[in-house]
């Protein structure tokens, strides 16, 4: 009887696992029956023939059908639109995966300081999975009057449980006394490189942490989830990218907590079902370790290193040529000193040495640079490295570029440096820019139009978790440049067309990542990475574009399984459960 029961259970389990399998890809496929945006110029094709995941014919329907054998599997688009898979060149998958599980206190879901404090109190009252309370999204640029929380205020909310509040821009955090105690941070603790612990007059930490290195030092004290649980969270995050239409991402600077973040990414990338293609940029000091991990075949590869030349403008961290605007926002909310211009994280000497090291070794460097002096120092270092060790095939990249000048755009173009813009700054924070940098600089903030006109390789990114994973929002932001809160249009002459924006999000991003020989357009010989949309964005207004839906995402002719309960995720969940039950090195 028991044996019969076990047999039945085994059959049911097998059937269930079978139903979770990711669908395979037929050898021969033709996609037809809707507009096919090739990104090969502005050309629109009628059909595309894919063999073994590679594009072998594209163009008019009859010609493509003739090229394919009789037993070809036909994917009818039903009047919808197919385009090359979207590429997100600058995102933080691991941090996004983790913050998906944190208490949300963002400006998208809250409208006042009181509401945020209530959310924190609510979270503190519940027993979470983690012994620490982690909240994410503190955003004074989005919520008026959001003065920083004091250590005493946080102690009142969570007297015993360590609590950390991460700001939306991730360059600043606030912690309570329990968190400082757990991390052993006292008046005697030295500041880390490129960051600091704010202190009161007696030298005691106030609980405000400035810059990534200070936050990382505190978070090192947090108990860790098993790597297997991290792998599951990461896999779920990859599904979010796929649902948003992305087939490839650039993981630029591995920010996120895990014993070995790179090893966790390795686990997910080598799991059986195909996942998002990922190109990794590590901190310079982790590059050697990453090289050891990525020697074999996988959908994740190592592309280079990432450094931060300056910080976020919205906390006064961007290094500017002229002082920040004097306003209530900069003086009271941000607490910036008079005539503050921000600071650079690297001396010219150190920046030159880092870029030269990358140049000599033949790997790309991605440099976070927001203000003019940060961009200038990055360009100086790149130019010096190119002179010292010429390598015409190696193109470095600059990230975010809030206030890049026309002269700097020209210089970057001449140096073959690609320009990646964080365009959501306009949508989410455009309303606060006049108070932050004044009118003149507001109008030339994120000058994507100038960059496109210069002929540089231009890309657009969402920098998640700084913004939600939403490719259509990135697209419409660059078309409209309209602020979400005030409805104003910022720098109308910096708007670009749908064609140029989509090109930046496909072929431009492929060029930036150095993979345009494989993806980025629907051309013969490239991999069949596709995004299927409910309509053709070329024919729609920006408002209509934001209403489009992503129907499906394909990698090498194989439809990505984005169901939350897929075989892959079930397997990872099982591993995570197993590890947490039988962990040899149990969490501290
Ligand atoms: Zn970033």
């Amino acid at each position: 009887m028991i044996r019969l029961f076990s047999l039945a259970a085994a059959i049911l389990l097998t059937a269930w696992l079978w139903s979770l399998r990711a669908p395979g890809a037929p050898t021969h496929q033709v996609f037809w029956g809707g507009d096919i945006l090739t990104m090969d110029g502005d050309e629109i094709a009628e059909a595309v023939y894919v063999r073994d995941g590679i594009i072998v014919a594209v163009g008019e329907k009859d010609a493509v059908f003739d090229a394919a054998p009789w037993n070809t599997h036909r994917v009818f688009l039903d009047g919808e639109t197919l385009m090359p898979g979207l590429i997100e060149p600058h995102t933080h998958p691991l941090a996004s995966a983790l913050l998906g599980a944190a208490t949300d206190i963002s400006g998208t879901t809250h409208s006042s300081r009181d509401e945020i404090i209530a959310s924190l109190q609510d979270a503190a009252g519940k027993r979470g999975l983690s012994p620490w309370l982690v909240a994410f999204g503190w955003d004074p640029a989005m919520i008026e009057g959001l003065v920083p929380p004091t250590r005493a205020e946080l102690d009142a909310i969570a007297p015993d449980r360590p609590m950390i509040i991460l700001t939306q821009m991730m360059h600043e955090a606030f912690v309570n006394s329990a968190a400082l105690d757990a991390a052993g941070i006292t008046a005697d603790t030295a500041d880390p490189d490129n960051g600091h612990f704010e202190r009161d007059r007696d030298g005691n930490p106030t609980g405000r942490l400035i810059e990534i290195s200070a936050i990382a030092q505190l978070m090192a004290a947090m108990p860790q989830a098993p790597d297997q649980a991290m792998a599951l969270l990461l896999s779920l995050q990859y599904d979010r990218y796929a649902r948003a239409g992305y087939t490839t991402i650039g993981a630029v600077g591995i920010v996120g907590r895990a014993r070995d973040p790179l090893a966790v990414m390795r686990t997910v990338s080598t799991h059986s079902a195909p996942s998002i293609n990922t190109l990794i940029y590590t901190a310079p000091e982790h590059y050697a370790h990453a090289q050891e991990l990525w020697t074999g075949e996988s959908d994740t590869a190592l592309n280079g290193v990432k450094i931060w030349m300056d910080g976020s403008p919205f906390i006064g961290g961007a290094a500017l040529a002229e002082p920040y605007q004097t306003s209530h926002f900069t003086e009271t909310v941000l607490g910036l000193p008079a005539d503050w211009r921000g600071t650079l994280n690297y001396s010219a000497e150190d920046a030159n040495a880092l870029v030269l090291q990358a140049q000599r070794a033949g790997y790309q460097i991605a440099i976070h640079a927001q203000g003019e002096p940060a961009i200038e120092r990055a360009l100086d270092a790149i130019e010096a490295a190119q002179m010292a060790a010429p390598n015409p095939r190696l193109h470095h990249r600059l990230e975010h570029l809030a206030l890049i000048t026309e002269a700097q755009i020209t210089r970057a173009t001449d140096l073959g440096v690609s320009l990646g813009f964080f365009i959501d700054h306009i949508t989410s924070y455009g309303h606060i820019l006049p108070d932050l940098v004044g009118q003149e600089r507001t109008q030339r903030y994120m000058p994507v139009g100038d960059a496109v006109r210069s002929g540089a390789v231009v890309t657009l990114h969402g920098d998640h978790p700084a913004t939600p994973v939403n490719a259509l929002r990135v697209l419409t932001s660059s078309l409209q440049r309209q602020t979400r809160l005030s409805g104003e249009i910022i720098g109308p002459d910096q708007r670009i067309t749908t064609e140029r924006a989509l090109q930046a999000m496909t072929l431009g991003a492929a060029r930036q990542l150095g993979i345009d020989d494989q993806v980025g357009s629907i051309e013969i010989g490239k991999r069949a990475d596709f995004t299927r949309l409910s309509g053709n964005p070329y024919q729609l207004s920006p408002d209509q574009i934001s209403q489009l839906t992503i129907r499906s995402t394909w990698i090498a002719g194989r439809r990505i399984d984005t169901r939350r309960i897929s075989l892959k995720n079930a397997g990872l969940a099982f591993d995570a459960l197993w590890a947490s039950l039988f962990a040899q090195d149990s969490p501290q």
Side-chain angles (χ1 to χ4, degrees):
M1 187 63 191
I2 289 174
R3 199 170 282 177
L4 203 66
F5 182 74
S6 319
L7 186 67
I11 290 169
L12 274 176
L13 185 69
T14 311
W16 180 65
L17 288 174
W18 186 257
S19 76
L20 296 182
R21 260 175 350 124
T27 307
H28 302 276
Q29 292 181 95
V30 165
F31 295 77
W32 72 288
D35 289 341
I36 296 173
L37 315 184
T38 61
M39 295 297 150
D40 182 5
D42 292 336
E43 201 147 320
I44 297 182
E46 291 176 350
V48 54
Y49 165 36
V50 174
R51 189 174 60 213
D52 289 322
I54 302 292
I55 297 163
V56 286
V58 55
E60 284 176 16
K61 186 180 137 232
D62 291 344
V64 171
F65 273 54
D66 286 348
W70 64 272
N71 59 345
T72 296
H73 177 76
R74 290 183 181 178
V75 180
F76 180 54
L77 298 171
D78 202 10
E80 296 187 342
T81 295
L82 196 72
M83 62 175 293
L86 293 166
I87 299 173
E88 166 52 79
H90 182 131
T91 181
H92 304 278
L94 215 48
S96 302
L98 274 175
L99 292 172
T103 300
D104 172 19
I105 50 165
S106 71
T108 346
T109 45
H110 296 74
S111 52
S112 70
R113 194 177 194 277
D114 287 349
E115 276 181 36
I116 289 174
I117 298 297
S119 288
L120 290 171
Q121 284 166 336
D122 195 43
K126 286 182 196 142
R127 270 283 325 125
L129 279 174
S130 155
W132 281 49
L133 198 168
V134 181
F136 170 61
W138 184 272
D139 197 348
M142 195 99 96
I143 291 172
E144 233 191 290
L146 192 62
V147 292
T150 63
R151 181 171 161 181
E153 191 179 14
L154 297 183
D155 287 347
I157 296 171
D160 310 311
R161 187 175 172 198
M163 166 159 81
I164 178 163
I165 296 177
L166 295 161
T167 55
Q168 185 71 25
M169 293 296 158
M170 299 281 283
H171 286 262
E172 191 178 6
F174 308 101
V175 296
N176 65 354
S177 298
L180 288 169
D181 290 349
I185 294 167
T186 65
D188 302 327
T189 310
D191 283 338
D193 289 346
N194 306 324
H196 70 275
F197 306 113
E198 189 185 75
R199 310 191 189 240
D200 63 17
R201 264 179 309 183
D202 305 326
N204 294 310
T206 63
R208 183 174 183 174
L209 319 175
I210 316 282
E211 279 305 330
I212 313 271
S213 55
I215 299 171
Q217 185 171 336
L218 183 116
M219 287 181 85
M222 245 174 91
Q224 286 173 331
D227 286 356
Q228 292 84 348
M230 285 298 312
L232 173 63
L233 287 175
L234 184 62
S235 178
L236 292 169
Q237 179 63 28
Y238 280 169
D239 292 349
R240 276 181 215 125
Y241 290 118
R243 275 197 292 275
Y246 291 118
T247 51
T248 296
I249 59 169
V252 181
I254 304 303
V255 183
R257 281 280 292 145
R259 228 178 311 270
D260 183 349
L262 289 162
V264 169
M265 297 191 74
R266 174 82 187 152
T267 304
V268 176
S269 75
T270 50
H271 225 273
S272 53
S275 155
I276 293 287
N277 295 297
T278 307
L279 295 164
I280 291 184
Y281 297 76
T282 72
E285 60 271 27
H286 297 146
Y287 189 79
H289 174 51
Q291 260 183 322
E292 282 165 25
L293 287 172
W294 274 281
T295 44
E297 193 51 26
S298 123
D299 41 21
T300 300
L302 184 61
N303 234 31
V305 299
K306 155 85 178 286
I307 63 168
W308 281 265
M309 192 61 81
D310 62 352
S312 161
F314 301 100
I315 61 164
L320 308 185
E322 300 295 326
Y324 282 78
Q325 182 77 3
T326 304
S327 67
H328 172 77
F329 179 66
T330 53
E331 285 183 321
T332 312
V333 181
L334 299 184
L336 303 183
D339 285 330
W340 178 249
R341 295 159 190 251
T343 53
L344 292 163
N345 290 335
Y346 293 94
S347 66
E349 219 183 346
D350 290 347
N352 288 3
L354 273 170
V355 177
L356 183 59
Q357 187 187 13
Q359 178 79 16
R360 286 229 161 95
Y363 55 77
Q364 222 183 18
I365 191 160
I367 308 177
H368 167 123
Q370 294 277 25
E372 306 93 329
I375 295 162
E376 202 65 22
R377 183 154 295 175
L379 289 172
D380 287 348
I382 290 170
E383 186 167 7
Q386 287 180 348
M387 303 256 278
N391 180 352
R393 293 211 323 277
L394 182 62
H395 299 284
H396 300 295
R397 45 184 287 190
L398 297 185
E399 311 300 306
H400 310 328
L401 304 169
L403 287 168
I404 188 169
T405 64
E406 277 193 76
Q408 288 175 330
I409 288 174
T410 307
R411 196 176 162 206
T413 312
D414 292 344
L415 293 172
V417 171
S418 62
L419 303 174
F421 289 93
F422 187 1
I423 191 64
D424 196 82
H425 271 200
I426 298 287
T427 317
S428 291
Y429 303 105
H431 64 282
I432 205 80
L433 286 175
D435 290 342
L436 186 74
V437 294
Q439 253 325 319
E440 183 268 328
R441 286 182 289 186
T442 293
Q443 295 308 316
R444 63 177 181 86
Y445 201 89
M446 297 284 164
V448 185
D450 285 345
V452 165
R453 287 185 284 273
S454 78
V457 171
V458 174
T459 64
L460 303 166
H461 59 254
D463 202 14
H464 332 97
T467 68
V469 180
N470 184 340
L472 295 174
R473 176 171 157 148
V474 173
L475 171 60
T476 52
S477 292
S478 66
L479 309 182
Q480 290 181 300
R481 293 180 65 94
Q482 184 171 33
T483 78
R484 196 170 65 84
L485 291 178
S486 66
E488 238 177 297
I489 309 276
I490 306 276
D493 51 339
Q494 299 300 338
R495 288 181 293 197
I496 55 173
T497 63
T498 307
E499 284 82 351
R500 294 291 79 77
L502 283 177
Q503 195 184 40
M505 296 171 75
T506 52
L507 198 52
R511 285 197 180 123
Q512 180 168 62
L513 295 169
I515 50 171
D516 52 311
D517 57 331
Q518 302 157 46
V519 293
S521 60
I522 300 184
E523 285 182 88
I524 293 171
K526 289 200 180 181
R527 200 168 64 215
D529 285 12
F530 300 144
T531 299
R532 181 172 170 178
L533 297 159
S534 57
N536 180 350
Y538 288 177
Q539 294 163 358
L540 303 173
S541 71
D543 281 335
Q544 292 168 317
I545 288 174
S546 62
Q547 303 302 314
L548 288 174
T549 50
I550 306 294
R551 295 289 198 213
S552 53
T553 313
W554 306 67
I555 290 183
R558 191 164 168 181
R559 189 174 167 163
I560 304 182
D561 185 3
T562 55
R563 292 174 298 176
R564 278 181 187 79
I565 307 177
S566 60
L567 183 56
K568 178 181 185 174
N569 290 339
L572 288 168
F574 181 77
D575 291 349
L577 195 67
W578 189 263
S580 56
L581 288 175
F582 304 104
Q584 307 230 308
D585 45 348
S586 54
Q588 302 102 310

